[in-house]
Amino acid sequence: MTRISEEDIKASLLHISLFLSTHTAYELLPESGKVVALDVDLPVKQAFHILFEQGIPTAPLWDFCKGQFVGVLSALDFILILRELGNHGSNLTEEELETHTISAWKEGKAYLNRQIDGNGRPIPRNLIHAGPYDNLKDVALKILQNGVATVPVIHSSSEDGSFPQLLHLASLSGVLKCICRYFRHCSGSLPILQLPICAIRVGTWVPKIGEPNNHRPVAMLRHSATLSSALNLLVEARVSSIPIVDDNDSLLDVYCRSDITALAKDKAYTHINLNQMTIQEALQLGQDSYSSYEMRSQRCQMCLPSDSLHRVIERLANPGVRRLVIVEAGSKRIEGIISLSDIFRFLLG
């Protein structure tokens, strides 16, 4: 096993921190591309279909009356909506989604989360965003500290912030890609990258026999589990994906939060029962629906405990890859999960 001194580890982390502090979100912007934004007065059903058709898991929200971006709609919102509707009936109807606008849902969500003031009114939440000249360290910390997948990069030439321009959706994978690009030809200055991930135990690991279990368990489900149980686990465990395993805990697939948008295909949400549909059926439903941002091959990416941090980082920097499942060689038995958030908590910790 590769061994490096404590001083080399500190020096490596300092190099990375210095790079992130001296480079800006402007470097995350692609040479060409598009960003989809949704009007808060759109019906939830229409927003659901737009995310599915555009192959995106999140979209910023535009309030025409206020003339500004006011929030973000994500796949997690649809999970919460379907759970809420499912609690009031066995089947979900298209009409129930048609009658709710995005703004009405966001207000209802505030009541569900008890985010209300002394007068019983929803407490307005400020949009978490970044400017193009914010440094990359601040962007990464905003994502980590607020528990979000992306932050909109917004620019306004006016001092009062009027006429905002949406430039990009910044993510941890984009920041990680910048790190890889910058240190590609001088990785020797970062000896920490040569360490195997089992040596630093970054991520969430299944405890070995006899080891104390001081961390949260790795959330796993069988193919036969219901879609309702998967959605509940995603929300309650606050994870973005759940490994699907066989009876030997060997990896078969992964169910992600963004998979919920596959229910928009042929309006499947109008004729399913969350307590009856299995995860296997839900994954089969979306099998032909994976878009470019998260192709099938990128959904179920694996690594070995012996893989170097450098190799793990390079794979996580690929678009659409948000986590790697750590498996035992040969058996594919799950040993843990390492996510983008785990990497940045380690690098910036």
Side-chain angles (χ1 to χ4, degrees):
M1 185 180 293
T2 305
R3 293 185 181 276
I4 65 173
S5 67
E6 196 69 31
E7 290 74 19
D8 282 341
I9 291 177
K10 289 179 180 178
S12 297
L13 296 178
L14 186 62
H15 268 101
I16 293 171
S17 181
L18 186 61
F19 164 75
L20 294 174
S21 300
T22 53
H23 290 72
T24 68
Y26 191 82
E27 296 179 41
L28 299 174
L29 273 61
E31 291 184 7
S32 63
K34 68 175 181 179
V35 184
V36 177
L38 303 174
D39 192 293
V40 290
D41 291 326
L42 271 177
V44 165
K45 184 197 77 169
Q46 195 172 339
F48 196 8
H49 283 272
I50 290 171
L51 289 195
F52 169 70
E53 289 161 3
Q54 296 294 323
I56 53 176
T58 59
L61 300 175
W62 172 258
D63 189 317
F64 181 78
C65 295
K66 295 180 180 177
Q68 60 186 24
F69 293 97
V70 293
V72 171
L73 189 75
S74 70
L76 179 59
D77 283 300
F78 290 110
I79 290 175
L80 296 173
I81 289 169
L82 295 183
R83 285 176 81 217
E84 187 64 19
L85 292 177
N87 288 337
H88 297 99
S90 58
N91 289 322
L92 310 173
T93 66
E94 186 176 357
E95 287 72 25
E96 286 175 300
L97 290 178
E98 183 75 73
T99 55
H100 263 73
T101 62
I102 297 173
S103 58
W105 156 246
K106 288 293 186 180
E107 186 172 321
K109 183 181 175 184
Y111 284 108
L112 285 173
N113 295 334
R114 304 186 188 281
Q115 296 167 338
I116 52 178
D117 61 21
N119 298 316
R121 290 175 299 202
I123 299 172
R125 296 183 63 189
N126 293 326
L127 171 66
I128 302 160
H129 68 284
Y133 303 111
D134 290 358
N135 69 60
L136 293 177
K137 185 174 182 179
D138 286 345
V139 171
L141 287 172
K142 276 185 181 179
I143 293 173
L144 286 178
Q145 292 167 358
N146 292 285
V148 295
T150 60
V151 292
V153 179
I154 298 172
H155 175 66
S156 174
S157 54
S158 306
E159 288 186 12
D160 61 357
S162 57
F163 307 108
Q165 293 177 294
L166 178 62
L167 304 179
H168 186 59
L169 287 181
S171 65
L172 292 179
S173 66
V175 178
L176 200 58
K177 193 170 185 178
C178 283
I179 294 174
C180 291
R181 188 168 58 237
Y182 183 79
F183 290 103
R184 180 172 295 139
H185 302 299
C186 56
S187 57
S189 65
L190 300 175
I192 196 173
L193 295 183
Q194 306 313 315
L195 281 176
I197 55 170
C198 61
I200 50 181
R201 302 295 280 187
V202 62
T204 305
W205 292 73
V206 176
K208 302 287 186 185
I209 296 175
E211 278 185 352
N213 187 6
N214 300 323
H215 304 284
R216 69 177 184 179
V218 176
M220 293 183 276
L221 286 174
R222 304 279 188 264
H223 253 161
S224 57
T226 64
L227 181 56
S228 176
S229 65
L231 300 186
N232 290 338
L233 190 55
L234 284 169
V235 174
E236 290 159 14
R238 296 185 179 183
V239 293
S240 62
S241 65
I242 302 169
I244 309 304
V245 297
D246 63 15
D247 292 336
N248 297 315
D249 288 345
S250 295
L251 184 66
L252 298 173
D253 210 323
V254 173
Y255 191 84
C256 311
R257 275 196 304 226
S258 53
D259 285 327
I260 197 69
T261 60
L263 295 184
K265 182 185 179 185
D266 301 325
K267 299 180 181 177
Y269 55 81
T270 63
H271 55 264
I272 66 161
N273 186 311
L274 299 178
N275 295 312
Q276 293 177 1
M277 175 174 267
T278 66
I279 295 175
Q280 185 170 15
E281 290 168 339
L283 288 168
Q284 188 68 37
L285 181 71
Q287 204 162 36
D288 302 324
S289 308
Y290 300 114
S291 47
S292 58
Y293 83 97
E294 192 169 52
M295 295 300 288
R296 186 74 173 170
S297 61
Q298 294 176 319
R299 292 169 37 77
C300 201
Q301 294 250 356
M302 297 170 282
C303 67
L304 301 175
S306 57
D307 283 346
S308 68
L309 182 60
H310 183 254
R311 184 173 183 181
V312 166
I313 282 176
E314 283 199 322
R315 293 176 71 178
L316 283 170
N318 290 324
V321 180
R322 292 195 58 192
R323 85 287 302 167
L324 299 178
V325 182
I326 308 165
V327 298
E328 181 183 67
S331 70
K332 288 172 59 176
R333 187 175 291 113
I334 292 181
E335 297 202 9
I337 295 180
I338 185 168
S339 68
L340 283 162
S341 298
D342 295 324
I343 291 292
F344 276 90
R345 286 191 195 98
F346 173 72
L347 296 178
L348 300 176

